[in-house]
Amino acid sequence: MTGPGAAWRGGGILALLAALALFPLVFTNPLVTTIGVDTMIFVVAASAWNIFSGYSGYISLGHAVFFGTGAYTVGIAARDWNLTGTTVFWLLPLAAAVAAVIAVPFGLLALRVRRHTFVVVTIAIFFIFQLMAYNLPFTGGTTGVSAPFLAWQPGTSNDPFYYLAMAIAVATVGLSWLIRGSRFGLQLRAIRDDEGRTRGLGVHTMRVKLAAFVISAFITGLIGGLWFYFITQVLPPSGFDPAFNVSVALMAFFGGLGTVAGPVLGALILEPAAQYLTLEFPNAFLSQIILGALFAAVVVLLPRGVIPTVGEKVTSWRARRSDHLAARVAAAAARPSAERSSS
Amino acid sequence: MSSYRARFVSLAAAALAVGVVACTSSSSGSAGNTGKSPILIGASLSLTGDFSADGQAFQRGYELWASDVNSHGGLLGRPVKLVILNDGSSPTTVVSDYQKLISVDHVNLTFGPFSSLLTAPAANTTARYRYALIMGAGTTDDVFHLASNRQVHNVFSPSLPVKDYLVPFANWIVSLPPSERPKTAAYPMANDPFAAPPVQVVQQILQRAGIRTVYSKVFPAEVSAYKGPADQVAASGADLVVLGSPDIPTVSAFMQAFQQVHYNPKVFAAASGPDGGQEFLNAVGVGNATGMMVPNGWYGSYANPLSHIMVQEYIAKYGGTASDINTDVAEAYSVGEVAADAVKAVGTNNAKIIKYLHSGVTLNTVQGPARFTSLGENPRPASFIFQWQNGHYLQVLPAGAPGSVKILFPKPNWIGQ
Amino acid sequence: MGRLIYEAIIDGILIGGVYALMAVGLTLIFGVLDIINIAQGILVILGAYLSYVLSVHLHIDLFVGLLITVPAMFVIGITIYWAFIRPLRGHERTGMALLASYAVAIVIEGILYWIFTPNYVQLRAPYVTASVRVFGFYLPYIYLYGFALALALVGLIYLMLYRTKFGRSVRATMQDQVAARLIGIDVNRVAGLTFGIGVAVTAVGGMMYGATSGGFNPNSGYDLISRLLAIVILGGLGSIAGALVASVFMLTLESVVNVWSPEWAIVVFYAALALVLIFRPAGLLGRQAVREQ
């Protein structure tokens, strides 16, 4: 993997990073940067989801459990320990840790069953958490938890959130890439392809799956905590939002499940698009119908996700081109011999 | 990842950037300070999602107010223009909505979204810009006590605080002679910031007056298994039921369950639901609605001159009758009135508006007088109890107030028994 | 207290019948097509709205109206299958089908909002509020009819599965799709028809839900789908009888816990699911689970 291909790839990534880093400085409009922060949050969430579900093949529709747990952890800690201002950001690792801890019993229960059952178990656990958020005494019930007021200047108050989210995003994507190329990643993908055989080859599948699950939970909890401080409140239906579950899955699928760039692409395209649709079309029923129809079209027409599908098309185009070339070379090579033999 | 994929990703990011520029630069937002340029007022409402029924009623209220103001020459000679965005009942979208309204559309004033759950992010966002947020709903304690409001004092609500809704009802019960007064009471409450607080206040008042509580439990607001709590209330045989219901299905389900087990309390009041006009009648039937009591700050025939005018204009614009008008409409309308009064007094500068509204001035709205505490609450608006009697939605409490009729007590039995 | 518990048990059984009608379609689709139809919640609501239109605008009795709504939903089901499920192929079929059905759910919900607005409506009939008194307990007629209907439908489906040629194809496909194809069964046709049947049965569930819920609007589907999924998994994927047993069991359990604390009752619902899965990963009446795909 050296030579011009790697240079292109490296250059592409650097260009992307530069563009993303300069984004809030170029587009200073707070509305735009709010969408930017939301998008970055989803880049992280979708990538984290993909680290588990994409690589292992176990589709989780309950990842909001970790997101909401992270959000509530920061909220409850800030409230009970009377933290304000930038100190609250130090709670993020705590949020991630709590989410990771929850992932252990969750995973031990859920990862023992078949894949279909697994999906539903994640949904069930998700609803349990949402209900607990409504009912437990320390979560604030229906009105949830509010964040301490951050009296930053309105024009640029989004920027620190954006850069923090972006930093987390870069780290997550980097981690995803590392995992994919590692033995651990190979084990995960082997589990996805044929778990029985993988176990037969001596891999401790439960440990591998659980490890991926916990890593995924850790990151999701981390970004959930950030989201809470950004939105300034968390409620049971917003911290534990069924739409979140589906969104991260959709973004990963759209971009290409199990790839490193897939979830990133999915989030970069889908989140701003969704926000734009909601803002520009107040006749919401129509926009809901359009969104659903688009969604359905994507699922049916791009079943492998954008990156693999586009990648395949590009590969087959290259192959056809090189076939073409090969055919012309062969034809050219054949002609002189015919001429030679006829002369 | 092949080189093609890397380039693809970069291209996508670039396309995205171009797209975003196109979107944001295409929006217009003029807010000139001279001549007849319109006064822009922005609001985020729940046009879809959980709160959509009320969100749309609110929209009608805001729009009615705006068209009224404009037909009378506007504010300070300038026409009023509403910019309403949909938040889909989602707090995340509320934040972006207000960001857009203030920084892209450059609205002069901001009105509130429909529910408390959404008002908090709206209040926090507008607080950062030091914009006043006048809202008609979302009058629960936690909104007024938000950290941002305690610092910036930008939240104002002319509507009655939720927890005070059933106080006239409780006072009436206590005022009954002991021989007529109910002896036992049941308080089923949905876990909802609008439904539970008023019932809890009633329970305190009635318990102090010696009425025994035979049932008091909170049930989840978001579930359709109401039969359990309803059957338990029926089994308790309470004389009086005060139901903390957030919406029509809850009341309707309780009423249905009571009918199924042949239980008819002497008095049945609900926090919300029976105030839903025709929708409520469709759900439970005209006959069964009779006797049901519900609180409200405002209703179609409220004896107030401003309200009369608004009602006529609503009917002219949307049809129907006075009793069809959802209270949300009046709540939204009174938001507009507060804003209008403030603008006429001090202009469109938000800092001045905030100061003016906190100055102890009393304003008049379709919901009655409005005078704001330091946290923006208004304890003064109209506060009534209504009762359905044979298809008519009638004001019954406070007993001596203009417009009140005699209460139907005890509640007649269900139709079909 | 004792009386409250008895009443709770009776309530639970009766409501369980309603949920069984909503869950049967879901588990049938699970069993044959191996996919999770997330649209089931909104399809119940769609069935309820269809019954509503017939009842309010054409004054057709709720049960008689089923003769129209059931075939209508059958057609809708087949259409959904052909347009959105059948084209999906490949390794990620399960996940894609899930997302596709979610997309369908969003579209249907949007259309319902557009036509019916968010206002709550309810199905009404004399037998909804009337009840018969048995041993001191009131049993509402609507629930009794609904429960009877649930049993009848389960019976009918069993008859279909075990006494008809088509039923044999369905069972074969349930057991092993590849083998079924090898012995000449047109798996696509079986899948499509089964999807249609699953949605058709949901029409009945929709009517019952609409009559007993106290009011519904297009948003009511979300709460339903999570409970239905829990019921179906608990009962065992693909097991019709399991759906019935699980519905009654879960709803009765919830109803009894409701006596003590309504807020925690729903948690019990999902916790029971988790508990059962620890000991029986295939569900109560599911086929013996194969842990790997």
Side-chain angles (χ1 to χ4, degrees):
Chain A
M1 290 207 284
T2 52
W8 266 121
R9 199 182 64 209
I13 297 178
L14 277 178
L16 178 63
L17 282 177
L20 291 176
L22 292 175
F23 181 77
L25 303 175
V26 174
F27 299 103
T28 52
N29 191 325
L31 168 67
V32 176
T33 49
T34 300
I35 297 183
V37 177
D38 280 335
T39 308
M40 275 301 146
I41 290 178
F42 271 100
V43 168
V44 174
S47 295
W49 183 88
N50 182 60
I51 286 179
F52 170 71
S53 287
Y55 292 158
S56 74
Y58 277 73
I59 306 293
S60 157
L61 284 190
H63 257 57
V65 164
F66 308 122
F67 190 76
T69 300
Y72 268 98
T73 304
V74 174
I76 293 173
R79 179 190 70 193
D80 292 348
W81 297 340
N82 282 319
L83 302 173
T84 55
T86 44
T87 339
V88 177
F89 285 109
W90 291 108
L91 290 172
L92 289 181
L94 176 65
V98 172
V101 164
I102 285 180
V104 175
F106 185 173
L108 284 173
L109 168 68
L111 291 167
R112 295 166 71 238
V113 302
R114 281 178 59 188
R115 265 162 231 220
H116 300 120
T117 317
F118 176 77
V119 181
V120 178
V121 172
T122 58
I123 296 178
I125 306 273
F126 160 74
F127 275 105
I128 291 183
F129 269 77
Q130 194 193 69
L131 291 167
M132 287 203 297
Y134 274 113
N135 295 338
L136 288 176
F138 54 85
T139 52
T142 339
T143 47
V145 182
S146 246
F149 182 52
L150 202 50
W152 287 346
Q153 278 291 72
T156 51
S157 59
N158 291 336
D159 295 355
F161 284 103
Y162 179 84
Y163 285 115
L164 186 54
M166 187 178 149
I168 299 176
V170 169
T172 307
V173 175
L175 179 65
S176 180
W177 180 76
L178 278 174
I179 290 181
R180 191 162 203 270
S182 73
R183 193 156 156 266
F184 177 53
L186 194 62
Q187 290 172 332
L188 277 171
R189 276 179 291 141
I191 290 176
R192 183 182 71 189
D193 290 338
D194 191 333
E195 191 165 350
R197 192 179 298 167
T198 312
R199 194 180 302 136
L201 290 173
V203 173
H204 284 123
T205 53
M206 181 50 129
R207 272 190 229 163
V208 172
K209 287 187 288 188
L210 192 60
F213 197 58
V214 169
I215 293 176
S216 178
F218 183 86
I219 302 172
T220 312
L222 184 70
I223 204 65
L226 181 76
W227 169 85
F228 161 74
Y229 207 21
F230 181 60
I231 300 287
T232 68
Q233 73 165 21
V234 65
L235 312 161
S238 74
F240 298 100
D241 183 359
F244 173 89
N245 290 324
V246 180
S247 298
V248 290
L250 179 65
M251 287 170 189
F253 266 102
F254 179 76
L257 190 69
T259 64
V260 174
V264 177
L265 186 66
L268 286 177
I269 293 182
L270 295 182
E271 179 63 15
Q275 294 269 10
Y276 173 68
L277 272 178
T278 324
L279 283 177
E280 292 293 313
F281 290 105
N283 179 1
F285 304 150
L286 198 59
S287 80
Q288 183 169 347
I289 298 178
I290 295 178
L291 194 67
L294 273 176
F295 187 165
V298 164
V299 170
V300 173
L301 298 173
L302 286 177
R304 302 277 314 279
V306 170
I307 286 194
T309 311
V310 170
E312 277 164 18
K313 291 224 181 333
V314 164
T315 311
S316 66
W317 174 77
R318 283 172 88 195
R320 264 182 286 133
R321 240 190 75 182
S322 62
D323 278 349
H324 246 289
L325 275 168
R328 277 163 61 183
V329 166
R335 244 181 288 123
S337 59
E339 284 167 358
R340 261 180 286 151
S341 62
S342 69
S343 62
Chain B
M1 194 162 98
S2 78
S3 63
Y4 284 101
R5 290 176 184 180
R7 281 206 279 178
F8 186 95
V9 171
S10 317
L11 269 174
L16 177 70
V18 169
V20 171
V21 173
C23 299
T24 54
S25 61
S26 69
S27 61
S28 59
S30 62
N33 289 326
T34 58
K36 302 283 198 247
S37 63
I39 295 183
L40 292 175
I41 303 185
S44 166
L45 286 176
S46 306
L47 302 176
T48 53
D50 280 350
F51 310 128
S52 43
D54 296 290
Q56 292 184 2
F58 245 68
Q59 184 179 25
R60 292 199 289 279
Y62 284 156
E63 283 172 353
L64 184 65
W65 170 77
S67 73
D68 276 355
V69 165
N70 288 336
S71 64
H72 287 102
L75 287 181
L76 302 179
R78 298 162 63 183
V80 159
K81 183 157 183 284
L82 290 174
V83 184
I84 295 185
L85 299 179
N86 177 31
D87 55 41
S89 310
S90 150
T92 322
T93 319
V94 166
V95 172
S96 335
D97 277 357
Y98 281 97
Q99 303 258 25
K100 177 173 196 270
L101 289 169
I102 297 178
S103 53
V104 175
D105 298 323
H106 301 293
V107 298
N108 302 93
L109 303 169
T110 45
F111 286 174
F114 169 67
S115 140
S116 276
L117 309 185
L118 304 179
T119 312
N124 287 327
T125 309
T126 48
R128 217 170 268 152
Y129 289 93
R130 300 303 197 265
Y131 264 60
L133 185 73
I134 311 175
M135 53 184 200
T139 46
T140 53
D141 273 349
D142 60 298
V143 172
F144 296 113
H145 290 276
L146 277 175
S148 61
N149 187 37
R150 271 182 280 142
Q151 242 176 287
V152 180
H153 298 281
N154 67 322
V155 169
F156 299 96
S157 175
S159 304
L160 185 64
V162 164
K163 60 185 188 311
D164 294 338
Y165 264 67
L166 279 167
V167 169
F169 170 78
N171 290 338
W172 168 66
I173 296 281
V174 170
S175 74
L176 289 172
S179 54
E180 286 180 35
R181 208 187 295 161
K183 308 273 183 296
T184 53
Y187 307 96
M189 296 170 267
N191 183 7
D192 175 283
F194 288 99
V199 177
Q200 284 160 344
V201 167
V202 173
Q203 183 174 351
Q204 283 164 12
I205 297 178
L206 295 187
Q207 265 176 197
R208 253 182 282 143
I211 296 178
R212 193 161 57 95
T213 303
V214 292
Y215 178 91
S216 173
K217 288 221 177 93
V218 179
F219 56 87
E222 300 238 344
V223 111
S224 44
Y226 303 115
K227 201 163 184 340
D231 282 351
Q232 287 168 55
V233 169
S236 74
D239 293 329
L240 154 66
V241 175
V242 185
L243 171 64
S245 50
D247 54 26
I248 292 178
T250 313
V251 189
S252 171
F254 268 79
M255 288 169 70
Q256 193 176 304
F258 286 174
Q259 288 170 69
Q260 284 166 347
V261 298
H262 296 255
Y263 165 69
N264 182 43
K266 293 204 198 104
V267 184
F268 191 171
S272 171
D275 56 333
Q278 190 59 40
E279 205 186 327
F280 174 67
L281 289 181
N282 288 343
V284 307
V286 174
N288 288 320
T290 299
M292 294 297 299
M293 298 173 78
V294 69
N296 234 324
W298 175 95
Y299 70 113
S301 314
Y302 172 40
N304 170 301
L306 290 175
S307 174
H308 277 317
I309 299 175
M310 181 198 83
V311 167
Q312 277 153 19
E313 280 161 350
Y314 183 94
I315 295 175
K317 197 166 172 174
Y318 297 107
T321 67
S323 49
D324 290 339
I325 306 180
N326 193 327
T327 310
D328 293 336
V329 171
E331 290 175 345
Y333 197 93
S334 54
V335 167
E337 288 175 301
V338 168
D341 282 351
V343 167
K344 281 191 222 159
V346 296
T348 58
N349 177 296
N350 272 284
K352 288 197 190 148
I353 291 178
I354 291 177
K355 196 148 169 255
Y356 175 73
L357 292 174
H358 278 304
S359 66
V361 62
T362 302
L363 306 173
N364 286 315
T365 73
V366 292
Q367 292 192 94
R371 183 158 171 259
F372 301 104
T373 65
S374 66
L375 290 180
E377 274 184 292
N378 174 27
R380 314 274 305 278
S383 161
F384 303 106
I385 305 291
F386 297 84
Q387 187 179 42
W388 282 97
Q389 296 181 9
N390 299 317
H392 296 291
Y393 186 63
L394 303 169
Q395 176 189 322
V396 293
L397 293 171
S404 287
V405 303
K406 191 162 184 306
I407 296 186
L408 192 58
F409 168 64
K411 179 185 166 315
N413 208 343
W414 307 110
I415 306 296
Q417 303 281 308
Chain C
M1 187 58 146
R3 193 207 149 84
L4 279 180
I5 305 251
Y6 288 134
E7 197 169 32
I9 294 179
I10 294 176
D11 276 352
I13 296 177
L14 294 177
I15 302 178
V18 177
Y19 273 83
L21 284 169
M22 297 191 275
V24 162
L26 187 59
T27 201
L28 193 59
I29 291 174
F30 244 139
V32 172
L33 285 91
D34 232 21
I35 66 174
I36 301 167
N37 177 22
I38 293 258
Q40 185 72 4
I42 197 67
L43 287 171
V44 168
I45 302 295
L46 177 63
Y49 269 111
L50 287 176
S51 292
Y52 174 74
V53 167
L54 289 179
S55 164
V56 167
H57 294 291
L58 295 176
H59 303 291
I60 300 180
D61 172 72
L62 296 175
F63 285 93
V64 170
L66 289 178
L67 294 172
I68 301 176
T69 63
V70 169
M73 295 276 282
F74 179 72
V75 170
I76 293 177
I78 296 197
T79 313
I80 294 176
Y81 172 77
W82 272 90
F84 302 103
I85 311 293
R86 190 165 178 271
L88 303 173
R89 299 193 194 294
H91 199 218
E92 301 302 333
R93 214 171 142 263
T94 318
M96 304 309 291
L98 197 112
L99 292 177
S101 60
Y102 184 74
V104 169
I106 297 180
V107 173
I108 295 180
E109 191 191 343
I111 296 177
L112 286 177
Y113 263 127
W114 201 13
I115 302 178
F116 294 103
T117 78
N119 283 344
Y120 289 102
V121 296
Q122 179 171 7
L123 297 179
R124 295 178 44 219
Y127 42 79
V128 170
T129 47
S131 54
V132 62
R133 200 179 171 143
V134 171
F135 293 124
F137 294 105
Y138 286 102
L139 303 178
Y141 284 114
I142 181 73
Y143 284 108
L144 293 173
Y145 296 161
F147 200 84
L149 202 50
L151 288 175
L153 265 172
V154 168
L156 262 174
I157 294 184
Y158 261 96
L159 265 178
M160 187 264 295
L161 281 178
Y162 286 92
R163 295 290 163 117
T164 69
K165 190 152 161 277
F166 174 68
R168 236 178 325 144
S169 313
V170 171
R171 275 186 294 135
T173 313
M174 264 192 192
Q175 268 187 1
D176 191 331
Q177 255 198 32
V178 176
R181 207 175 275 143
L182 284 175
I183 62 171
I185 294 178
D186 181 351
V187 166
N188 271 319
R189 191 170 146 269
V190 169
L193 286 174
T194 309
F195 200 92
I197 294 176
V199 177
V201 173
T202 307
V204 184
M207 186 279 278
M208 283 301 301
Y209 174 77
T212 56
S213 65
F216 60 93
N217 77 351
N219 202 36
S220 309
Y222 290 113
D223 168 48
L224 272 183
I225 186 61
S226 48
R227 295 164 145 245
L228 294 176
L229 286 175
I231 288 175
V232 162
I233 291 284
L234 189 79
L237 291 177
S239 167
I240 313 291
L244 183 58
V245 167
S247 302
V248 171
F249 172 64
M250 298 279 254
L251 269 301
T252 308
L253 183 62
E254 184 188 3
S255 189
V256 169
V257 175
N258 220 311
V259 174
W260 159 63
S261 167
E263 286 187 289
W264 287 103
I266 341 179
V267 177
V268 161
F269 204 90
Y270 296 107
L273 172 67
L275 213 63
V276 167
L277 285 180
I278 293 180
F279 297 107
R280 271 195 72 86
L284 288 176
L285 296 182
R287 295 164 286 149
Q288 197 45 50
V290 182
R291 289 275 186 80
E292 322 86 49
Q293 277 300 83

